[in-house]
Amino acid sequence: MNLNLDFAVILERWPTFVDGALLTLQLAFIATVLGTAIGVLGAIGRRSSHPIVSRLCGIYVEAIRNTPLLVQIFLVYFGLASLGVKFSAFTVAAAALTINVGAYTTEIIRAGFDSIPRGQIEAAEGLALSRAQIYWHVVMWPAIEKVYPSLTSQFVLLMLASSVTSQISAEELTAVANYVQSDTYRAFETYILVALVYIVLSLIMRAGFWLLGFVIFPRRRRLGTPL
Amino acid sequence: MHKTLNSTTPSPVVSLKNVHKSFGTLKVLDGVSFEVDRGEVLVLIGRSGSGKSTALRCIDRFETIDSGEIVVCGHRVSDPKLDLRALRQDVGIVFQSYNLFPHLTIEENITLAPCSVKGMSRTHAKEEARRVLAQVGLEDKLHQYPEQLSGGQQQRAAIARSLAMQPKVMLFDEVTSALDPELTGEVLKVIEALAADGMTMVMVTHEMGFARGIADRVVFMHRGKVHETGLATILTSPATPELAQFVGTGL
Ligand SMILES: Nc1ncnc2c1ncn2[C@@H]1O[C@H](COP(=O)(O)OP(=O)(O)OP(=O)(O)O)[C@@H](O)[C@H]1O
Ligand SMILES: [Mg+2]
């Protein structure tokens, strides 16, 4: 066996890899921000006493969790196309990833909401706080703090999963790799490099979430213990 | 004529008239009536399951009643159109499990409601927090988190949090039951000081010695009814055999 690796021709193209990596990060960032918003609203919806609202949120979550991401991406892509609206591959990819991760964050945040003891809510009600104030101050913040590790892992997973959006030619990291390897015939080297870049992106995201947690959870910062 | 009578005799702060309440088929309150006047301390006692907590929770509309009438600080609690948040601004309630918000400092726990509900400014609310914490002897815990406090301190902080809303009446449901005897004393002292200050209070307690010392009026509940009621002296000379047995066993 003769392993003959040549990275030089790959590394020459580093600017395209940087572009791809930045696009991947952008996709992850958009899906994280919007996915968190969907997750909070979805979790409130799933816990709603209104049966239609909670049912609809439940259907959304189950539909997403029981279909492959790639199929969801194609559904958004061809769905929008058949409606006659034309969006860039990036927009479609961002939308599909957001819809996907929103379902998972809905479930994670709902578990966080459910973990807030009834007594906490009664104490807040006894202090005359409104429903919205209770959700915001007494339920949401501690719930997010409790599920923060699973929530952030989900977003890192999503960033890695965003590689399948190369299938609709979003110009993210894996699409760049596909292009480079077909151009240079150095597939193994290309994917080794891309794997390393994904590891770096994961580390960047984890570091970012760690810092963010430090800022938004003062109790964790001061006491260093999980809630 | 009734009008002049009403304006000269102050109406009670809390009044329950013939209150009935069932959970499913279980009758928990079976025609309960009592009144609490301004500045008065009413102590609710009775066996486990006799309906004490339920009666207390009905006052703050944590339970809705089946029939009867409850009026608290002029709010008709039994009225379906009740302004719930207005009622709860006038009523402070403290539970056995302190229920401090774990992710907030003691100061933030206390200032949350005055700021969000009453629209008090941050600086004013912080002054208020200092004042109520001094009242319960916890000035130095302002910036601590609940888990850094002992059970007794947490319960005192919970009382301070209620006081910061300047309630007209305070409800206490077995606030010392989760505490060791040494810690019980410090919480009871805070409640005694409140009573001395003229706070109107309704409290459920199993501390008979404390009840004797603080109660202006005692209500002994038995099987969902007010079985015996009177001054604190009924604890030492009960009229009914049930109360005699209850105070005798000290339970
Ligand atoms: N939400 C509820 N649903 C069903 N049953 C309830 C509910 N709350 C209370 N009960 C029942 O009502 C009865 C009276 O309860 P309550 O808590 O008022 O008693 P209590 O006098 O406070 O007793 P304890 O001294 O043990 O606290 C009990 O049998 C209890 O199991
Ligand atoms: Mg009780």
Side-chain angles (χ1 to χ4, degrees):
Chain A
M1 206 176 83
N2 189 1
L3 191 60
N4 176 7
L5 293 178
D6 178 6
F7 281 98
V9 52
I10 310 294
L11 289 173
E12 253 169 34
R13 313 216 176 192
W14 66 268
T16 57
F17 285 99
V18 170
D19 288 347
L22 287 178
L23 209 92
T24 293
L25 274 185
Q26 276 178 48
L27 282 175
F29 181 79
I30 292 170
T32 297
V33 172
L34 298 181
T36 304
I38 292 180
V40 169
L41 294 177
I44 293 174
R46 283 214 80 175
R47 286 160 50 92
S48 163
S49 53
H50 203 302
I52 295 175
V53 173
S54 64
R55 186 73 57 83
L56 280 177
C57 293
I59 290 172
Y60 162 59
V61 168
E62 291 311 320
I64 295 297
R65 292 207 305 180
N66 293 293
T67 49
L69 174 58
L70 184 56
V71 172
Q72 294 162 16
I73 292 169
F74 283 145
L75 281 174
V76 175
Y77 187 67
F78 293 115
L80 288 174
S82 71
L83 289 175
V85 266
K86 191 93 184 86
F87 284 109
S88 69
F90 178 82
T91 310
V92 173
L97 291 172
T98 299
I99 292 169
N100 175 270
V101 81
Y104 290 93
T105 49
T106 293
E107 274 310 273
I108 293 170
I109 293 175
R110 183 178 76 128
F113 284 2
D114 287 348
S115 76
I116 303 300
R118 179 83 209 123
Q120 292 278 306
I121 295 165
E122 283 197 345
E125 286 172 345
L127 290 165
L129 273 79
S130 70
R131 269 179 69 96
Q133 287 167 342
I134 293 172
Y135 246 120
W136 179 256
H137 293 288
V138 178
V139 178
M140 203 194 74
W141 282 105
I144 301 246
E145 184 170 345
K146 280 185 192 182
V147 299
Y148 194 65
S150 11
L151 204 54
T152 53
S153 298
Q154 191 65 50
F155 292 130
V156 173
L157 282 176
L158 170 90
M159 184 276 291
L160 299 176
S162 72
S163 76
V164 298
T165 63
S166 61
Q167 294 289 317
I168 56 166
S169 346
E171 305 274 293
E172 47 67 67
L173 189 54
T174 303
V176 167
N178 295 344
Y179 174 75
V180 169
Q181 67 91 11
S182 69
D183 213 26
T184 59
Y185 302 103
R186 287 285 170 191
F188 192 33
E189 290 89 336
T190 305
Y191 289 113
I192 288 177
L193 178 65
V194 158
L196 291 174
V197 176
Y198 273 116
I199 289 174
V200 170
L201 293 187
S202 295
L203 293 176
I204 290 172
M205 280 184 77
R206 286 183 195 282
F209 284 129
W210 184 82
L211 276 175
L212 181 67
F214 223 69
V215 174
I216 62 178
F217 305 128
R219 196 205 63 93
R220 169 91 131 272
R221 178 169 71 235
R222 282 243 328 259
L223 305 186
T225 52
L227 194 63
Chain B
M1 193 186 141
H2 260 292
K3 235 186 170 132
T4 39
L5 191 72
N6 271 342
S7 56
T8 46
T9 39
S11 52
V13 177
V14 176
S15 122
L16 282 78
K17 284 201 189 89
N18 201 21
V19 171
H20 289 259
K21 166 81 187 167
S22 301
F23 289 112
T25 55
L26 181 70
K27 185 121 204 154
V28 179
L29 299 181
D30 191 4
V32 170
S33 305
F34 58 76
E35 287 187 349
V36 190
D37 290 330
R38 221 183 125 82
E40 206 175 40
V41 177
L42 183 136
V43 171
L44 277 174
I45 56 170
R47 285 219 160 66
S48 179
S50 56
K52 308 179 297 292
S53 295
T54 305
L56 203 72
R57 289 168 60 83
C58 287
I59 295 174
D60 208 8
R61 220 341 175 79
F62 278 109
E63 309 287 354
T64 49
I65 62 175
D66 302 334
S67 66
E69 189 186 54
I70 302 181
V71 180
V72 178
C73 304
H75 306 280
R76 287 178 37 94
V77 179
S78 33
D79 186 341
K81 292 195 296 287
L82 166 79
D83 181 349
L84 193 54
R85 293 181 65 203
L87 167 76
R88 287 176 176 168
Q89 286 190 52
D90 287 340
V91 181
I93 186 162
V94 183
F95 304 93
Q96 179 180 335
S97 49
Y98 342 113
N99 294 329
L100 290 169
F101 307 129
H103 60 300
L104 301 178
T105 63
I106 299 304
E107 182 181 60
E108 290 163 341
N109 262 277
I110 295 174
T111 56
L112 175 60
C115 289
S116 340
V117 177
K118 292 190 162 174
M120 198 182 274
S121 74
R122 292 227 142 264
T123 25
H124 186 186
K126 285 183 178 182
E127 281 166 26
E128 189 65 12
R130 244 167 265 266
R131 183 184 68 80
V132 290
L133 277 179
Q135 220 174 329
V136 301
L138 289 177
E139 305 94 311
D140 53 329
K141 303 296 183 195
L142 209 55
H143 300 296
Q144 306 271 69
Y145 284 92
E147 69 193 85
Q148 297 175 290
L149 271 57
S150 73
Q153 291 170 334
Q154 288 191 48
Q155 192 56 289
R156 280 145 66 199
I159 293 172
R161 181 175 66 177
S162 272
L163 290 176
M165 287 296 278
Q166 306 193 309
K168 298 194 177 108
V169 53
M170 289 283 289
L171 311 176
F172 295 96
D173 192 359
E174 296 193 38
V175 291
T176 58
S177 296
L179 300 174
D180 295 340
E182 317 99 81
L183 299 182
T184 297
E186 63 185 47
V187 174
L188 296 184
K189 245 184 248 151
V190 164
I191 297 176
E192 271 164 1
L194 274 179
D197 264 7
M199 176 64 80
T200 310
M201 301 194 273
V202 182
M203 67 173 72
V204 176
T205 184
H206 286 296
E207 305 281 336
M208 283 308 136
F210 174 68
R212 259 197 305 279
I214 200 170
D216 294 310
R217 205 183 301 192
V218 173
V219 165
F220 171 61
M221 295 202 37
H222 185 65
R223 298 197 172 144
K225 288 188 160 73
V226 176
H227 196 75
E228 186 171 344
T229 180
L231 303 175
T233 47
I234 66 167
L235 293 173
T236 35
S237 46
T240 62
E242 288 80 9
L243 179 55
Q245 197 193 3
F246 178 77
V247 292
T249 56
L251 260 168

